[in-house]
Amino acid sequence: MTPMTCDQVSEHIDLYAVGACAPGTAEAIGHHLHDCPACRELHDQATQLSDRLDWHFREQAGLDRLLSTLARESRPAHRPWLTLPAARRAFALAASVLVVLGLGVALRQPTPDSPAPGIVAWLEPAGRGGPKRGGHEMVPGVAESLALRDDAARHFPLEAEGPLSLVRLDLRLVLANPESRTLYLHPDDPRTALRLELRGPAVKKQWPGKGALTPALEPSRRVIPPGGTAELSLPWLVEGTRKAPRHLFWAEPGRYELVIRYEVPVSETPQGPGELRIFTSRPQTLVVGGR
Amino acid sequence: MSHVPVPNEAELVRLAARGHADAFADLTRRYYRPVAGFLLKRVGPADLVEDLTQETFLQAYRSLTAGQVPEHFASWLFGIAHNCWGKWARRKQVLSFGAVSPEGVAAPEQQQTLEEAEEQALMQERLGRHLAELPEETRRMLEMKHHQGKTCEQIARELGRPVGTIKSQLARTYKALRGRLGGERP
């Protein structure tokens, strides 16, 4: 790999920031950035522009969604259990905690005198060979590590130097219903979406062909009995909606940050349409390829 | 904030506190861009910006309807936005394994916050104006890239142009936009 000059980096920095550089170029830029504070500053500016453009194209939709949420908030609710202050507080609590990424997660169940949290959710490794749930206890809402697996079924802990290509997520999203009534998930609802925020040196996005859907977006309704769980596998870095899924992947070695968000309507009746619940993981750092 | 008409604001806040949803919707429309700009500068990814902006306004609405009526709505609202961001940053800090250093979450001065939010909102407006001046095909490329998340190869296929042309056009456009927004290295 030929080292790059600052002028050469400057020429490619915008495409690098949006993950559109050829792999060889991206690798050379990555090495240059490591040692050049001036070009890192330029990279920050290019990333800010990219973020600003992303936001430009979704700003109006975001405002519309917020106004719609506020309108629902201001109306008397039709579901009595959601309008109770305790239930509302519990909803907020659940929304702040909900997804745990981790190996061997043992999420503490609510104690009898704690507010009912609604559905709680976490992620655990789906592949064989990883520690099993319950292997060691951890604080709810705090992840210790995240499993990655390559196509040869080798597992890598969060900060391991996994190979650049072929590494994939190998996780199950587990949704648990600690309440005394049956709850229904509606992934068939068009509001259902899986969002993966993957940020790092070079992130690529591709629209996959049909059949590349992650099970979290499959249009089958799921029933979670009182005290039961529903599991959805997340085998790849696939995000989006059922109609518009896309693959994310890293295109060069380095440190990446991942946030997973699952949006799915949940109701107390089989018919729905259900209240949209958003389960968000805390940001996780992944090191790919080693440096 | 100079671009926000102030005279009716106190009345809107009082109405919102009495449960008039339309009044709070009006306040939301006024402050959505400045609050989002304030958060955009701190968190970056659009999904997170939208989440934290929504959280900010929902908390503000719930506080208002619970009887908390601020003297100065804008400062109060940005205080909530700052807290929402601070919570997010602290969560990030807890789970930053190793070398990722957490961001500081000390509250900035009130006036500084309002000026910064205004600057971010103006920047977003300027970006919108610059985008509107671009040729139709270039705007479409940016929309495909930043709204639809398509790769340059997919954009090239859809527009029937060579990939190299798409990349060159995008690179030129990004550089020009950075320059016009004052982001270029001196």
Side-chain angles (χ1 to χ4, degrees), chain B residues 6-84:
Chain B
V6 175
N8 293 327
E9 187 167 291
E11 182 58 21
L12 283 173
V13 172
R14 277 194 293 275
L15 286 169
R18 289 205 293 269
H20 290 257
D22 289 348
F24 192 78
D26 197 357
L27 290 166
T28 301
R29 287 187 197 94
R30 289 182 185 200
Y31 282 101
Y32 189 77
R33 175 168 280 182
V35 168
F38 173 82
L39 293 164
L40 179 68
K41 187 177 175 187
R42 286 161 174 75
V43 303
D47 272 6
L48 281 173
V49 171
E50 185 180 336
D51 281 355
L52 293 176
T53 306
Q54 173 148 331
E55 196 177 327
T56 298
F57 281 96
L58 285 173
Q59 278 191 25
Y61 181 71
R62 287 164 188 161
S63 297
L64 272 179
T65 52
Q68 187 182 347
V69 183
E71 273 188 38
H72 191 277
F73 179 75
S75 303
W76 177 74
L77 184 65
F78 283 104
I80 295 174
H82 183 270
N83 288 339
C84 288

Side-chain angles (χ1 to χ4, degrees), chain A residues 6 8 94 100 110 122 152 160 230 258 284:
Chain A
C6 289
Q8 288 171 321
V100 176
W122 66 91
L258 174 67
Q284 300 290 295

Side-chain angles (χ1 to χ4, degrees), chain A residues 6-7 10-11 13-15 18-22 36 38-39 41-42 45-46 48-63 65-67 69-71 73-74 88 91-92 96 141-145 158-159 195-197 199 204-208 239 246 255 257 259 261 263 278 280 282-285, chain B residues 19 21 24-26 28-29 32-33 36-37 40-41 43-51 53-55 57-58 61-62 88 91-92 94-100 119-121 123-124 127-128 131 139 142-154 166-168 170-171 173-175 177-178 181 183-186:
Chain A
C6 289
D7 283 345
S10 169
E11 192 183 330
I13 197 70
D14 292 294
L15 290 181
V18 298
C21 271
C36 179
C39 286
E41 188 183 326
L42 192 64
Q45 292 169 7
Q48 283 166 18
L49 174 64
S50 175
D51 288 340
R52 209 174 273 291
L53 283 163
D54 286 348
W55 180 246
H56 170 84
F57 287 111
R58 69 179 291 161
E59 183 182 32
Q60 187 59 49
L63 175 59
R65 276 191 284 271
L66 173 57
L67 290 172
T69 303
L70 285 166
E73 179 101 356
S74 64
R88 194 169 277 184
F91 185 87
S96 69
V142 176
E144 287 190 351
S145 58
L158 186 68
E159 294 254 332
R195 312 284 183 197
L196 303 182
E197 285 287 350
R199 295 180 63 78
K204 287 192 171 183
K205 299 174 182 177
Q206 278 191 349
W207 299 90
E239 69 150 20
R246 63 183 176 181
R255 187 174 291 272
E257 189 172 86
V259 173
R261 191 173 76 176
E263 304 172 4
I278 300 174
T280 307
R282 295 179 175 189
Q284 300 290 295
T285 305
Chain B
F24 192 78
D26 197 357
T28 301
R29 287 187 197 94
Y32 189 77
R33 175 168 280 182
L40 179 68
K41 187 177 175 187
V43 303
D47 272 6
L48 281 173
V49 171
E50 185 180 336
D51 281 355
T53 306
Q54 173 148 331
E55 196 177 327
F57 281 96
L58 285 173
Y61 181 71
R62 287 164 188 161
W88 174 82
R91 287 201 299 269
K92 186 179 171 186
V94 166
L95 289 165
S96 290
F97 300 94
V100 179
E119 180 190 327
Q120 290 297 318
M123 192 82 94
Q124 208 63 29
L127 176 64
L131 291 175
R139 276 206 310 274
L142 288 173
E143 185 164 0
M144 290 164 90
K145 183 80 189 143
H146 291 274
H147 187 45
Q148 300 167 4
K150 293 187 177 174
T151 63
C152 291
E153 289 74 14
Q154 290 168 322
I166 299 295
K167 288 191 175 184
S168 301
L170 281 174
T173 306
Y174 289 135
K175 190 172 184 181
L177 286 172
R178 269 197 295 116
L181 290 172
E184 281 203 316
R185 195 168 33 164

